[in-house]
Amino acid sequence: MESAPSRTAMFAAVSRGLFRLETASPWVLDDVLALVLVGPVWRELRDRFDPLFPGPVRRESRAAVCTRSRYAEDRLAAGAFTQYVILGAGLDSFAWRQPDLLGSLTVFEVDHPASQAWKLERVRVLGLPLSDSQVFVPVDFEAEPVQDALGAAGFDWAQPTMFCWTGVAPYLTAQAIESTLRTIAATAPGSEVVFSYRAEDCVLDDVGTEFARIYTPIAASAGEPLQPGWPVTEIERLISRCGLKVVDHPARADLQQRYFAGRTDGLRPYTFETLVAARVT
């Protein structure tokens, strides 16, 4: 991870892209750039790892990866934010999928330096447009304060901000999670964070349990080991202790009703990750 792009970020982008290819519309997230950003290696990743996961596990995990991005973007659209900070941005394509928002919104993409450099090279090769409203902030969450990196990049702490922090906390220590939440709590009142955390094993269904069994050694072998899961009450206590207020903590059934109602294929997101939205008061 010190000198190479995040493999798990590539996994997430491949999931978003394959969800669109393999699932009937309407898509919870229509990410047409996901596989393009990964590049030709996406086929190698698919062919190597897809056979390890049973069909239902693949479908529900891909649905969940798309759902977490859609959930964050829905809360962004519903608020009055002037800044959007994507923590652990990976190969997120928001700035190109939603160009109309860049006029009134500054997007800060925060990620590990090696991953961000790799993404920017892909952007250059593909000729994707860059805007002054799209700011890239290299930072190692475990080694340096996010606050310092954002400040140096021109982030305005007095402006209402939406933070998207999905698919990252499951790999971080409790100390790193708390540090980042406290940083977010120092922003303007009304700012929000959407983040996903690993659910504790005892609440996982069969698909979530199977995903955890298969994926845990894959993440470890990629140099990005998963951390233990969190009980709902414990994560809410942590959020409160950091100075934030939980405003939405949807269960899997809630997400299924919001984003997958009316489908005839029974598709739903897995139980491995849980989403929560918290606000600065």
Side-chain angles (χ1 to χ4, degrees):
M1 186 61 191
E2 292 306 315
S3 60
S6 167
R7 211 64 168 169
T8 57
M10 290 187 186
F11 295 156
V14 171
S15 289
R16 292 193 298 269
L18 289 179
F19 179 82
R20 187 178 187 276
L21 288 182
E22 300 174 352
T23 306
S25 63
W27 301 294
V28 62
L29 186 79
D30 186 8
D31 193 345
V32 297
L33 287 174
L35 298 180
V36 175
L37 280 168
V38 177
V41 74
W42 75 261
R43 292 183 176 84
E44 175 189 329
L45 293 173
R46 178 198 59 189
D47 294 346
R48 179 179 176 186
F49 293 105
D50 267 17
L52 302 178
F53 295 89
V57 177
R58 288 199 306 272
R59 288 191 295 273
E60 290 194 14
S61 63
R62 286 170 182 162
V65 168
C66 292
T67 300
R68 69 194 189 195
S69 294
R70 169 68 180 275
Y71 178 75
E73 292 176 18
D74 279 358
R75 292 202 68 89
L76 172 69
F81 305 104
T82 60
Q83 300 177 127
Y84 185 39
V85 178
I86 310 175
L87 297 170
L91 294 170
D92 191 284
S93 63
F94 170 82
W96 295 286
R97 286 186 290 104
Q98 305 276 15
D100 292 346
L101 293 179
L102 291 184
S104 59
L105 191 71
T106 301
V107 179
F108 294 85
E109 292 200 20
V110 184
D111 207 357
H112 190 280
S115 293
Q116 193 161 92
W118 189 87
K119 177 178 182 176
L120 285 170
E121 176 60 16
R122 289 293 304 151
V123 168
R124 185 192 68 79
V125 169
L126 294 168
L128 292 174
L130 293 175
S131 163
D132 291 341
S133 297
Q134 188 178 12
V135 181
F136 294 90
V137 187
V139 62
D140 184 340
F141 288 101
E142 295 281 4
E144 56 188 302
V146 174
Q147 184 172 3
D148 293 351
L150 279 172
F155 179 80
D156 188 344
W157 297 92
Q159 293 296 317
T161 304
M162 168 61 76
F163 291 82
C164 174
W165 196 29
T166 60
V168 180
Y171 304 94
L172 298 182
T173 62
Q175 181 180 2
I177 294 172
E178 180 168 350
S179 174
T180 301
L181 289 177
R182 289 189 181 278
T183 296
I184 292 169
T187 54
S191 296
E192 287 191 12
V193 58
V194 164
F195 76 102
S196 63
Y197 63 92
R198 180 179 177 178
E200 59 180 334
D201 290 345
C202 66
V203 303
L204 303 182
D205 63 4
D206 290 345
V207 167
T209 299
E210 186 70 354
F211 177 86
R213 183 188 69 79
I214 299 169
Y215 184 67
T216 297
I218 293 174
S221 68
E224 300 169 66
L226 290 161
Q227 300 298 312
W230 292 78
V232 168
T233 54
E234 190 174 334
I235 201 74
E236 289 196 347
R237 278 197 297 267
L238 173 64
I239 291 168
S240 178
R241 190 166 69 244
C242 291
L244 297 159
K245 179 183 178 181
V246 174
V247 291
D248 192 31
H249 204 163
R252 196 260 298 275
D254 299 321
L255 296 173
Q256 187 175 358
Q257 178 60 37
R258 292 180 198 180
Y259 298 119
F260 298 90
R263 294 190 68 94
T264 58
D265 55 9
L267 186 64
R268 59 184 184 176
Y270 66 6
T271 57
F272 181 75
E273 273 182 285
T274 300
L275 287 162
V276 60
R279 182 175 297 150
V280 179
T281 57

